Amino acid sequence: MVVDSFGAGGARDAAAFGDEGADTMGHIAQATPGWKIPVLMKLGLGSLRPLAHQTPDPAPVGRYGFLNEASAGKDTMTGHWEMMGLKIDTPFQTFGHFPPALIEALERETGRRVIGNRPASGTQILEELAPEEIATGHMIVYTSADSVLQICGNEETFGLQELYRCCEIARRLTMKPEWKVGRVIARPYVGKKPGEFVRTANRRDYALKPFGHTVLDSLKDAGFEVISVGKIRDIFDGEGITEAIHSDSSVQGMEQTIDLTKRDFTGLVFTNLVDFDAKWGHRRNVPGYAREVEAFDERLGELMQALRPDDLLLVTADHGNDPTWTGTDHTRERVPLLAWSPSMKQGGPLPEQDTFAAIGRLVAENFGVPVPEMAELKTQPAIEL
């Protein structure tokens, strides 16, 4: 279960990314004296590191530790791919403004003029440019300082299928090395005037395919089920997935995950909870982020109650997105790993890991399938639960 962007601060190489001092969970705790996260604290979050206004549980039930990212990046795809055994040595392309040649090609092939072409908050750029798009049929293109090209389209005037068509063209164009971004994202919305614009759940991500074999592929090839909840299917472009469940929100993603505990299957449920990142981190909204964690904490308790004795719960993150930080970009941070099973006899600390792929290794060894071949894992002690 990936709490998207719930970084734990203190990445060893944060300064190289301009993020020295960033601390997603630490700064949220500092700014939120009444923060209620009892289940996370019971699992060991407060024992993992001090959190302002929080008292560590004297007897945490979970195992808890830090994961460091080995890949050259701090985005969603890089984090998730590394978890499943793929290290990114060359970061995906990021742009402040997309090159004129790319914009010209996009306009020529879609038949629509591009407006925007800058880093922006998705809600902010709608307030500024959606009236023009609605009136003229022009196409809003923007980025978020991540390796993404995003296109907005009003579902009533632009049309959902037309938006998807334009994004498919953009994905094909951005396969060129000089323009290659990790994802092209369709961002549909509704509304007729500023103050009324709302993005809908019909978002669609057009991601690159993983460049190599992942733990998900190993599980699927061995006949295990790999059920994705949320945007996991998009992140891996469907590779290694046996069933994909779309989520409209992080709350719904938790509810869907709880429902899956009632099914009889053998394999992995891989859940991404995106609202922490998309709704609150990028928008630098500390109270919203804190409330989202509280809602997650409540449902996490329900999930734990529903697990069977031989189930294992792993809670982690894919990067940071400190809502107190400058700009709107992700932040390079360590991430937490909280592990718990109803059959676990006691909690306690886990050794700090040098790669997110320690998760993939743990999953692979659990099911007896091939372990990732990352060099960082060869000298890394396995996580023992």
Side-chain angles (χ1 to χ4, degrees), residues 30-351:
Q30 195 172 44
T32 315
W35 206 21
K36 295 180 176 60
I37 50 171
V39 179
L40 286 167
M41 296 299 287
K42 189 67 177 175
L43 283 174
L45 192 70
S47 303
L48 177 65
R49 51 155 303 175
L51 290 172
H53 313 297
Q54 297 288 336
T55 302
D57 193 285
V61 298
R63 305 295 303 278
Y64 46 88
F66 288 114
L67 305 177
N68 290 277
E69 189 165 13
S71 295
K74 54 178 180 178
D75 59 86
T76 294
M77 281 181 60
T78 301
H80 283 76
W81 283 16
E82 183 172 314
M83 283 180 209
M84 292 298 115
L86 298 180
K87 182 186 176 188
I88 309 297
D89 291 312
T90 303
F92 297 119
Q93 294 276 14
T94 57
F95 297 94
H97 300 272
F98 295 107
L102 171 57
I103 295 300
E104 289 167 9
L106 188 57
E107 290 182 330
R108 182 174 61 253
E109 296 206 24
T110 62
R112 292 179 179 272
R113 182 186 161 199
V114 168
I115 56 176
N117 188 19
R118 64 176 186 270
S121 155
T123 51
Q124 176 190 7
I125 206 161
L126 286 181
E127 292 297 301
E128 295 176 8
L129 296 180
E132 180 180 349
E133 183 201 79
I134 292 170
T136 64
H138 297 336
M139 182 168 60
I140 301 171
V141 174
Y142 73 106
T143 187
S144 62
D146 197 357
S147 183
V148 296
L149 183 153
Q150 304 188 75
I151 302 178
C152 300
N154 187 289
E155 291 196 3
E156 297 175 326
T157 60
F158 197 98
L160 197 57
Q161 296 308 311
E162 173 64 6
L163 175 61
Y164 294 159
R165 181 188 75 88
C166 293
C167 287
E168 289 164 4
I169 292 169
R171 176 69 281 177
R172 176 167 49 79
L173 292 172
T174 55
M175 292 303 293
K176 292 186 176 182
E178 65 270 28
W179 298 339
K180 188 174 284 187
V181 294
R183 287 176 293 159
V184 171
I185 304 177
R187 288 289 196 175
Y189 68 96
V190 294
K192 301 187 184 318
K193 62 183 180 181
E196 295 180 353
F197 299 126
V198 177
R199 294 195 295 191
T200 75
N202 291 318
R203 162 181 169 160
R204 184 172 292 179
D205 291 38
Y206 299 81
L208 297 174
K209 284 192 178 296
F211 60 82
H213 198 82
T214 72
V215 173
L216 303 184
D217 296 311
S218 294
L219 290 170
K220 183 178 179 181
D221 292 348
F224 294 105
E225 293 192 52
V226 182
I227 304 170
S228 76
V229 178
K231 65 178 184 177
I232 296 294
R233 187 254 168 243
D234 293 332
I235 293 168
F236 290 89
D237 200 32
E239 297 295 304
I241 306 295
T242 62
E243 179 183 351
I245 300 173
H246 172 78
S247 301
D248 292 339
S249 66
S250 290
V251 169
Q252 186 185 32
M254 284 298 295
E255 292 169 348
Q256 291 164 330
T257 304
I258 293 168
D259 285 343
L260 285 168
T261 65
K262 302 169 187 174
R263 283 174 45 175
D264 187 16
F265 70 94
T266 303
L268 175 71
V269 175
F270 197 176
T271 298
N272 174 279
L273 305 172
V274 70
D275 288 350
F276 303 88
D277 185 57
K279 281 189 174 182
W280 314 118
H282 284 302
R283 299 181 192 178
R284 297 301 188 250
N285 187 323
V286 179
Y289 204 129
R291 288 192 300 270
E292 193 76 44
V293 177
E294 289 181 334
F296 166 69
D297 190 88
E298 183 177 344
R299 286 164 180 81
L300 182 61
E302 296 174 16
L303 175 62
M304 291 170 66
Q305 289 291 326
L307 294 182
R308 305 175 191 182
D310 60 346
D311 290 335
L312 174 64
L313 170 67
L314 301 174
V315 179
T316 190
D318 52 345
H319 52 72
N321 200 346
D322 187 342
T324 73
W325 208 241
T326 57
T328 61
D329 195 8
H330 297 149
T331 44
R332 178 78 167 188
E333 302 178 43
R334 294 183 295 182
V335 300
L337 174 62
L338 305 175
W340 180 79
S341 171
S343 60
M344 195 174 283
K345 293 180 172 56
Q346 64 180 13
L350 294 168

